[in-house]
Amino acid sequence: MTVSRLSLLCRDLWALWLLLKAGADEIMHQDIVPLCAADIQDQLKKRFAYLSGGRGQDGSPVITFPDYPAFSEIPDKEFQNVMTYLTSIPSLQDAGIGFILVIDRRRDKWTSVKASVLRIAASFPANLQLVLVLRPTGFFQRTLSDIAFKFNRDDFKMKVPVIMLSSVPDLHGYIDKSQLTEDLGGTLDYCHSRWLCQRTAIESFALMVKQTAQMLQSFGTELAETELPNDVQSTSSVLCAHTKKKDKAKEDLRLALKEGHSVLESLGELQAEGSEPGVNQDQLDNQATVQRLLAQLNETEAAFDEFWAKHQQKLEQCLQLRHFEQGFREVKAILDAVCQKIATFTDIGNSLAHVEHLLRDLASFEEKSGVSVERARALSLDGEQLIENKHYAVDSIRPKCQELRHLCDQFSEEIVRRRGQLSKSLELHRRLETSLKWCDEGIYLLASQPVDKCQSQDGAEAALQEIEKFLETSAENKIQELNTIYKEYESILNQDLMEHVRKVFQKQASMEEVFHRRQASLKKLAARQTRPVQPVAPRPEALAKSPCPSPGIRRGSENSSSEGGALRRGPYRRAKSEMSESRQGRGSAGEEEESLAILRRHVMSELLDTERAYVEELLCVLEGYAAEMDNPLMAHLLSTGLHNKKDVLFGNMEEIYHFHNRIFLRELENYTDCPELVGRCFLERMEDFQIYEKYCQNKPRSESLWRQCSDCPFFQECQRKLDHKLSLDSYLLKPVQRITKYQLLLKEMLKYSKNCEGAEDLQEALSSILGILKAVNDSMHLIAITGYDGNLGDLGKLLMQGSFSVWTDHKRGHTKVKELARFKPMQRHLFLHEKAVLFCKKREENGEGYEKAPSYSYKQSLNMAAVGITENVKGDAKKFEIWYNAREEVYIVQAPTPEIKAAWVNEIRKVLTSQLQACREASQHRALEQSQSLPLPAPTSTSPSRGNSRNLKKLEERKTDPLSLEGYVSSAALPKPPEKGKGWSKTSHSLEAPEDDGGWSSAEEQINSSDAEEDGGLGLKKLVPGKYTVVADHEKGGPDALVVRSGDVVELVQQGDEGLWYVRDPTTGKEGWVPASSLSVQLGPSGSAQCLSSSESSPGSAVLSNSSSCSEGGQAPFSDLQG
């Protein structure tokens, strides 16, 4: 049927095309003059001959040759063109009669007359009827012409008579005056320029008509030969191209018709302006020609319009069919995918929250798929409409409509079936959840009944009433029959769900058993109360530990009479004793452990529930917002600022979701029955939590983008679809809130698991989470640094960051600047990296949200390879020094609290110590390479290098704190006390160092210190004797160690090895060894204590020294003590 209708339509189009072609051919085959007035316009303007429109008595056209002195000078080509053009203007009928030539030579000579007649006779291209010559009027020339004409008649050789006229009245005897122009004594109105314009307009219109006919014929051929495309794009392109060509053709037709009517009107106006009412035959012929062309154009336009209407209908129906077919393919593919996806929805849920989540997923899936289903139904209705409109492809459209309806009905049925399954699963899990909640409330009730209050009769009765009242609620809360449940929910039960139902039923039975035992005990206490029973607190070692406690389940024997013989198959039951004190004491411990187990389970339940909700919220954001940004149907709602900004807005949320959904949540569920071991789960996945650092670092950019585009219609539409009460920015904050929530839950779990097996893992997991939070916080500050030219990643790991007051004291610079720097602190934010410490200036906080985070302007950085520290600055326990390049630059840093100072000093010490160790290992490696290639010198006992290597070896073997006395004194004995006469006396102020082996020389090891720099690096390093203040208590050590307290004053006797000094207590007179790090010199207005440095100039060296600023008394600086 479709084929027959299409062929019928094609036949109609072909017939219309033939009609259009016939009209165009008629126009194209009209006799158009070979020459146009526009082509020889300059030649016609000379007016050496013209066609006035006059006629002879028999209708012969009259061509006039007016008096033209330069007639003989006209080129033959021009003369031939003008003659050809003028003879082609009259109709064939008039031209067939023959032309009458009027040659006006009244002012000319006979010789010119003869030449003109001979030229005309030789070149005239048409038939001649009569030649009338007005001969010269002068007497001599007229006489000469009469004589000459008689003797030269044969020279003209013309087949028509040539009549010589003496005057104009003679001419009127041959041609009526009304057919002659005024210069020939006639009344015919003729203007040569007007005639030329007329001819140009008529011929231009005729050419336009011909071109229009050619265009229509070509376009019609193209339309008739066009094949229908097979796709939407091609069909649309063809229809659009044909429509444009049709519009152009119609415009050309309109212009041609407008031009024709304009020419016709001008001809009519010329006739109206004529002085005589006579009719000019040429004008009548011109009007007839224009009218005929206009009529043919109108007929052609009508035929073209009818042909185009049929052709357009064919293309539009073809386009409708292609749209329908394309939509059918797309919708069918989507519905097939939807049906396949819904077929994979077999999960019925393993908890109430899971089932609710599945139902929400199903509703969301139905909503999203509903768009495709509605599209399919709408497409089916469109197909039905095409059938009603008698489309030529009915046989192809109808089966597709039926298939679409079938797929929609199949989807709806599957959704209903799936929702029914989940609803039944939801009902079952609600019953199970109700039973579990009832059991937990019961266990809470038991745990909340104090044991001491239950010893009295009133207390026991009150507790018994609470238990009985609670048991009355069992009918509406607990599962009655297991087999009934299995039968009622047989359609959805799988192996896991059946096992879950069985466990809930067992827990319910166990809880009831515990209640019945407590009920029996309370009844006894309420029935007979002989004496008060003193509750006995349980011993810690009596509490059993178990990774998987099951409170309320009785696993022991009740008939055991002794503690050693009792069978303890459960960790929370104790054998009953005949003695009430023992029974009550053991019962109290068991109930306390049961209460802790309940609390642990509730913390675990909260952890799992919030984790599932968190995963669901992340999925909701990713599907409801992030995925929709790539949806073409939502593209029109996106503002330009959001294009290609999905990664900025959501960061690595998708990575976080996959980690929690695929890994962490599943592993957490494995610890449901042993919540106290959940710390292991965190420890195993601690490295994966680093992904939160990346998310938090991107959060300021995300916040900024959200504030710029929060009013975008895209977000409003997504929020409406998701039915969210909160906007997107609240959900973008979820990962930040979640990572901080873990440490709170771990603290709670640790509080209830002090004596459990996994307590250490919980503590370690808590510390690790706090460390991650600190690293995230530090990184948030780090990315706020501006002005640093290098790559912060090259500085190594960020160890610490914080705000301090900083004074500078540099060797170089103006004295006033140095003095000013001492009294006016700078507020600086310090960033301690593994390889450098950065000084930045904290900028003001402004903006909202994350925009409130401060920014830091980079000021300077110190390479840790050239940094040293002085840990204590006299006068302030919160200050310490960071110096650079042997105290060329000194920064006095004041921490907010002593604790912060201690933390920073310890961290810097660790960095410098690690650098020292690395340098030593490199030096040993180089020394080993040199020893393999060079001969070794003979060893001597006094060699400084030997002593140095020995000291290095001892330092490397030391494992304890280098600043404690135990670190220097291990199993080996302390150095022997100095002999008398050696060392320093109490009144000695010599700057010379002792020369015995107990002292230090510069040859032993190069050091990096401020004193060495100031002395120019020349000579030996001198120790200054005097009194020192003890800054740290030391009570342990060898027999030669001196016990000192912080604040004691001692006198230096001698410097020893291993960083030990031999000192004397002036109050007691006792002498002994103490570590140099615990002493502070009492010289000058400000003292300094231990100093540890690592320098580029002396790789492999560390400095433990006492140094002081230049004092007013001019004391020499304390030399460095090599450690």
Side-chain angles (χ1 to χ4, degrees):
M1 182 186 224
T2 301
V3 177
S4 62
R5 293 193 62 188
L6 182 59
S7 61
L8 181 60
L9 179 60
C10 290
R11 282 201 304 271
D12 293 342
L13 286 172
W14 185 252
L16 289 172
W17 158 236
L18 293 177
L19 180 60
L20 175 63
K21 187 173 183 297
D25 287 342
E26 182 181 354
I27 295 175
M28 293 173 62
H29 285 85
Q30 288 178 358
D31 291 331
I32 304 280
V33 292
L35 286 176
C36 296
D39 297 336
I40 57 172
Q41 187 171 9
D42 293 338
Q43 302 167 21
L44 292 174
K45 283 182 178 179
K46 293 179 179 180
R47 197 172 178 269
F48 61 82
Y50 60 87
L51 186 67
S52 63
R55 292 289 189 271
Q57 296 177 358
D58 55 356
S60 300
V62 177
I63 296 179
T64 303
F65 289 87
D67 187 16
Y68 191 78
F71 185 80
S72 60
E73 298 175 3
I74 297 173
D76 293 339
K77 181 64 176 175
E78 291 186 9
F79 183 79
Q80 186 66 38
N81 288 339
V82 172
M83 292 297 102
T84 303
Y85 177 73
L86 293 178
T87 56
S88 65
I89 294 176
S91 64
L92 295 176
Q93 181 180 357
D94 292 343
I97 299 173
F99 287 87
I100 296 177
L101 303 184
V102 177
I103 303 174
D104 184 6
R105 291 294 180 264
R106 286 175 292 177
R107 298 180 183 179
D108 211 341
K109 299 178 182 180
W110 165 247
T111 55
S112 298
V113 173
K114 177 182 178 181
S116 299
V117 173
L118 290 175
R119 187 175 188 180
I120 294 172
S123 304
F124 196 77
N127 296 330
L128 282 174
Q129 186 183 34
L130 182 63
V131 178
L132 300 176
V133 180
L134 286 173
R135 59 187 177 181
T137 57
F139 176 77
F140 175 74
Q141 293 295 331
R142 183 175 57 184
T143 304
L144 181 61
S145 62
D146 289 339
I147 297 170
F149 181 72
K150 293 178 181 179
F151 289 101
N152 296 290
R153 183 183 300 271
D154 296 336
D155 293 342
F156 296 108
K157 298 180 181 179
M158 301 181 72
K159 297 180 180 180
V160 294
V162 177
I163 300 174
M164 288 293 198
L165 301 177
S166 299
S167 61
V168 172
D170 294 341
L171 177 62
H172 295 167
Y174 294 93
I175 301 174
D176 190 83
K177 293 174 60 176
S178 63
Q179 302 300 317
L180 293 174
T181 58
E182 293 179 356
D183 56 347
L184 295 176
T187 60
L188 181 63
D189 183 23
Y190 175 76
C191 177
H192 189 68
S193 60
R194 185 175 58 189
W195 174 85
L196 189 58
C197 292
Q198 237 176 33
R199 293 305 306 173
T200 303
I202 294 171
E203 291 168 3
S204 174
F205 172 60
L207 181 61
M208 181 182 293
V209 171
K210 182 177 180 180
Q211 292 173 346
T212 303
Q214 290 175 342
M215 180 271 297
L216 290 177
Q217 182 177 5
S218 176
F219 181 42
T221 303
E222 180 183 351
L223 295 183
E225 295 176 354
T226 299
E227 295 184 1
L228 297 180
N230 293 323
D231 60 278
V232 173
Q233 185 65 31
S234 300
T235 307
S236 299
S237 300
V238 170
L239 181 59
C240 182
H242 286 186
T243 302
K244 288 182 178 179
K245 289 184 179 181
K246 183 267 298 184
D247 293 339
K248 186 177 182 307
K250 289 287 291 183
E251 180 65 19
D252 291 344
L253 277 170
R254 187 186 67 79
L255 292 176
L257 289 171
K258 181 178 179 182
E259 182 70 16
H261 286 293
S262 176
V263 172
L264 192 61
E265 288 177 3
S266 66
L267 292 176
E269 290 175 357
L270 291 175
Q271 279 190 1
E273 292 174 0
S275 59
E276 296 292 338
V279 178
N280 188 329
Q281 187 62 40
D282 285 350
Q283 292 179 353
L284 293 177
D285 292 343
N286 291 337
Q287 285 183 341
T289 300
V290 174
Q291 289 173 351
R292 183 176 68 255
L293 290 174
L294 286 174
Q296 290 173 350
L297 275 179
N298 288 326
E299 293 176 0
T300 303
E301 182 181 20
F304 175 76
D305 289 342
E306 187 177 357
F307 171 74
W308 169 254
K310 294 291 184 180
H311 180 75
Q312 184 181 27
Q313 180 185 10
K314 181 181 70 172
L315 285 180
E316 287 178 348
Q317 287 190 350
C318 178
L319 182 61
Q320 292 171 351
L321 178 63
R322 300 300 177 243
H323 272 298
F324 177 78
E325 291 174 344
Q326 180 178 342
F328 173 78
R329 288 192 296 268
E330 293 175 356
V331 170
K332 186 176 185 302
I334 294 174
L335 291 181
D336 289 342
V338 166
C339 292
Q340 290 178 1
K341 187 173 182 179
I342 200 173
T344 62
F345 292 171
T346 57
D347 193 0
I348 58 173
N350 52 22
S351 65
L352 180 61
H354 190 197
V355 177
E356 291 175 346
H357 176 74
L358 290 176
L359 278 170
R360 285 193 294 271
D361 284 349
L362 181 64
S364 176
F365 175 75
E366 183 181 10
E367 180 180 359
K368 293 179 180 179
S369 303
V371 177
S372 301
V373 174
E374 289 301 322
R375 181 183 171 188
R377 296 189 187 279
L379 188 61
S380 177
L381 292 177
D382 291 342
E384 295 292 342
Q385 188 66 37
L386 292 178
I387 295 174
E388 291 180 5
N389 293 337
K390 298 180 180 180
H391 195 280
Y392 67 82
V394 173
D395 296 341
S396 175
I397 297 174
R398 182 173 285 113
K400 290 182 174 62
C401 294
Q402 295 173 352
E403 186 173 359
L404 288 175
R405 286 194 295 269
H406 173 71
L407 289 174
C408 293
D409 295 341
Q410 182 180 355
F411 170 80
S412 301
E413 292 172 1
E414 191 63 25
I415 286 290
V416 171
R417 186 190 66 82
R418 175 65 180 161
R419 183 177 285 108
Q421 285 184 338
L422 290 177
S423 299
K424 208 161 187 64
S425 177
L426 181 67
E427 180 183 347
L428 174 59
H429 279 97
R430 279 178 177 167
R431 295 181 64 176
L432 297 176
E433 194 76 16
T434 301
S435 178
L436 286 173
K437 185 177 179 182
W438 182 70
C439 292
D440 290 343
E441 289 175 353
I443 296 174
Y444 262 120
L445 176 61
L446 296 178
S448 63
Q449 292 180 343
V451 178
D452 52 348
K453 293 184 180 180
C454 293
Q455 305 305 314
S456 63
Q457 185 174 3
D458 293 340
E461 289 178 352
L464 186 61
Q465 289 178 0
E466 290 178 352
I467 290 176
E468 290 176 349
K469 184 177 180 181
F470 179 79
L471 290 176
E472 289 176 358
T473 62
S474 62
E476 57 188 21
N477 291 310
K478 73 174 187 176
I479 300 174
Q480 302 297 336
E481 292 292 338
L482 195 60
N483 292 332
T484 304
I485 293 294
Y486 286 162
K487 185 176 181 180
E488 184 176 353
Y489 299 97
E490 181 180 4
S491 60
I492 62 170
L493 284 177
N494 54 26
Q495 191 65 33
D496 294 337
L497 189 53
M498 290 179 67
E499 182 65 19
H500 182 50
V501 172
R502 187 184 62 79
K503 286 183 178 180
V504 172
F505 191 78
Q506 287 181 352
K507 179 179 179 180
Q508 179 181 282
S510 300
M511 194 276 296
E512 287 182 321
E513 183 181 355
V514 172
F515 260 82
H516 290 319
R517 288 202 305 270
R518 175 67 67 86
Q519 192 176 24
S521 300
L522 290 175
K523 284 182 178 179
K524 291 180 181 180
L525 290 173
R528 48 182 183 176
Q529 195 72 17
T530 57
R531 63 183 180 86
V533 179
Q534 182 68 25
V536 180
R539 293 176 298 174
E541 61 271 15
L543 297 176
K545 297 180 179 180
S546 171
C548 303
S550 301
I553 302 179
R554 178 180 179 184
R555 298 184 180 180
S557 172
E558 296 182 0
N559 300 324
S560 176
S561 59
S562 64
E563 182 178 354
L567 296 177
R568 294 179 177 87
R569 289 177 290 180
Y572 307 112
R573 289 293 302 165
R574 297 290 183 269
K576 286 188 177 181
S577 174
E578 294 179 356
M579 298 176 62
S580 62
E581 293 87 351
S582 178
R583 179 175 67 246
Q584 295 301 329
R586 295 177 188 277
S588 176
E591 290 174 359
E592 181 180 357
E593 182 59 30
E594 287 180 1
S595 299
L596 291 175
I598 293 171
L599 294 173
R600 286 195 296 271
R601 260 196 15 214
H602 274 267
V603 174
M604 189 67 193
S605 176
E606 181 182 358
L607 174 60
L608 284 173
D609 290 344
T610 54
E611 185 72 13
R612 293 188 185 105
Y614 174 56
V615 170
E616 181 183 347
E617 288 170 344
L618 291 182
L619 177 62
C620 191
V621 171
L622 291 174
E623 290 185 348
Y625 286 97
E628 290 298 310
M629 291 184 73
D630 298 327
N631 186 356
L633 299 178
M634 299 284 285
H636 65 285
L637 298 177
L638 280 174
S639 62
T640 55
L642 287 172
H643 290 167
N644 301 320
K645 293 294 182 65
K646 184 169 71 172
D647 292 339
V648 175
L649 185 61
F650 298 97
N652 62 331
M653 180 182 284
E654 185 174 359
E655 182 183 6
I656 293 174
Y657 165 73
H658 288 315
F659 163 66
H660 285 271
N661 183 52
R662 299 173 180 175
I663 300 174
F664 193 61
L665 176 57
R666 298 180 182 180
E667 293 183 358
L668 280 180
E669 291 172 344
N670 295 332
Y671 292 88
T672 304
D673 295 331
C674 45
E676 65 276 7
L677 301 181
V678 76
R680 298 175 184 175
C681 181
F682 281 89
L683 291 176
E684 291 173 357
R685 295 297 172 185
M686 198 55 64
E687 291 185 2
D688 295 320
F689 281 102
Q690 300 296 331
I691 58 180
Y692 279 90
E693 185 172 346
K694 179 180 178 182
Y695 185 85
C696 292
Q697 288 178 354
N698 180 70
K699 198 68 177 67
R701 297 175 62 205
S702 175
E703 287 276 335
S704 178
L705 180 61
W706 166 255
R707 278 191 299 276
Q708 296 174 16
C709 308
S710 58
D711 56 349
C712 178
F714 170 80
F715 295 121
Q716 300 172 6
E717 178 64 16
C718 291
Q719 183 177 351
R720 185 192 64 79
K721 288 184 178 180
L722 295 171
D723 196 22
H724 282 176
K725 296 181 180 179
L726 301 177
S727 56
L728 175 61
D729 58 327
S730 301
Y731 291 90
L732 293 176
L733 197 60
K734 293 293 183 180
V736 181
Q737 296 172 338
R738 188 59 184 171
I739 191 64
T740 57
K741 178 73 173 178
Y742 286 129
Q743 54 103 4
L744 300 176
L745 293 171
L746 287 173
K747 284 180 181 178
E748 287 293 311
M749 186 65 75
L750 183 61
K751 184 169 72 173
Y752 303 134
S753 308
K754 294 293 185 183
N755 300 321
C756 295
E757 177 184 351
E760 294 182 0
D761 292 336
L762 286 170
Q763 183 61 54
E764 185 178 354
L766 177 59
S767 301
S768 300
I769 286 290
L770 292 175
I772 289 178
L773 292 176
K774 178 182 177 300
V776 170
N777 182 58
D778 289 346
S779 68
M780 295 295 289
H781 289 273
L782 190 62
I783 63 176
I785 295 178
T786 59
Y788 184 74
D789 294 334
N791 184 3
L792 292 174
D794 297 338
L795 303 182
K797 181 181 178 182
L798 177 63
L799 303 175
M800 302 190 77
Q801 55 85 23
S803 296
F804 299 88
S805 297
V806 179
W807 290 263
T808 59
D809 186 9
H810 301 344
K811 285 185 178 179
R812 300 176 182 175
H814 198 273
T815 305
K816 292 183 178 181
V817 176
K818 295 167 69 174
E819 292 176 356
L820 180 62
R822 288 179 177 272
F823 296 101
K824 186 176 180 181
M826 299 178 292
Q827 300 302 317
R828 292 290 183 262
H829 201 90
L830 272 59
F831 294 86
L832 177 61
H833 293 260
E834 292 176 329
K835 298 181 181 179
V837 57
L838 269 62
F839 289 76
C840 300
K841 184 175 181 180
K842 186 176 181 180
R843 296 300 180 186
E844 295 182 359
E845 304 174 1
N846 50 28
E848 300 178 357
Y850 274 87
E851 291 292 328
K852 289 186 177 180
S855 62
Y856 304 98
S857 297
Y858 167 77
K859 295 299 181 182
Q860 65 188 106
S861 62
L862 304 179
N863 191 333
M864 292 301 293
V867 162
I869 62 168
T870 303
E871 297 187 13
N872 295 304
V873 177
K874 186 176 180 180
D876 195 338
K878 297 183 290 184
K879 288 183 178 179
F880 63 96
E881 286 184 353
I882 299 178
W883 45 269
Y884 191 65
N885 281 343
R887 300 188 68 84
E888 181 177 308
E889 301 176 13
V890 179
Y891 303 89
I892 302 172
V893 182
Q894 184 182 43
T897 63
E899 291 77 12
I900 294 178
K901 168 205 165 180
W904 272 76
V905 168
N906 290 336
E907 199 64 41
I908 296 175
R909 186 191 303 129
K910 290 178 183 178
V911 174
L912 299 180
T913 304
S914 64
Q915 291 182 353
L916 173 62
Q917 183 66 25
C919 291
R920 284 177 173 171
E921 292 176 357
S923 299
Q924 290 177 358
H925 181 69
R926 289 195 298 269
L928 179 61
E929 291 179 348
Q930 293 175 1
S931 65
Q932 294 175 354
S933 59
L934 299 175
L936 294 175
T940 61
S941 60
T942 60
S943 171
S945 61
R946 182 178 178 182
N948 184 32
S949 63
R950 181 179 70 251
N951 293 339
L952 289 175
K953 183 176 181 181
K954 289 180 180 180
L955 283 173
E956 291 167 0
E957 291 174 351
R958 212 180 311 146
K959 302 298 183 183
T960 58
D961 186 358
L963 302 182
S964 67
L965 184 59
E966 293 79 8
Y968 295 96
V969 183
S970 57
S971 60
L974 287 170
K976 293 182 179 180
E979 298 178 5
K980 292 184 178 180
K982 293 186 177 181
W984 291 300
S985 64
K986 295 181 181 179
T987 59
S988 174
H989 296 282
S990 173
L991 298 180
E992 296 294 326
E995 297 178 356
D996 59 351
D997 293 337
W1000 293 92
S1001 67
S1002 62
E1004 287 185 301
E1005 183 177 2
Q1006 275 191 323
I1007 59 177
N1008 178 21
S1009 71
S1010 61
D1011 301 326
E1013 179 73 15
E1014 291 172 354
D1015 294 339
L1018 300 175
L1020 300 174
K1021 303 297 182 287
K1022 307 299 183 181
L1023 295 176
V1024 178
K1027 291 184 179 181
Y1028 292 81
T1029 301
V1030 179
V1031 296
D1033 296 343
H1034 288 286
E1035 300 179 354
K1036 298 179 181 180
D1040 294 329
L1042 180 62
V1043 177
V1044 293
R1045 302 284 185 181
S1046 178
D1048 292 349
V1049 178
V1050 296
E1051 296 176 347
L1052 176 61
V1053 178
Q1054 181 182 349
Q1055 174 186 356
D1057 293 335
E1058 305 293 339
L1060 298 179
W1061 284 1
Y1062 196 79
V1063 299
R1064 178 186 295 109
D1065 188 346
T1067 58
T1068 62
K1070 295 182 180 180
E1071 297 180 352
W1073 295 97
V1074 296
S1077 62
S1078 63
L1079 301 180
S1080 174
V1081 68
Q1082 289 188 332
L1083 292 174
S1086 63
S1088 61
Q1090 175 190 357
C1091 179
L1092 179 64
S1093 76
S1094 171
S1095 175
E1096 293 176 347
S1097 61
S1098 56
S1101 65
V1103 177
L1104 290 171
S1105 68
N1106 274 324
S1107 62
S1108 66
S1109 305
C1110 294
S1111 64
E1112 295 176 0
Q1115 293 286 352
F1118 227 87
S1119 66
D1120 299 322
L1121 180 61
Q1122 185 176 1

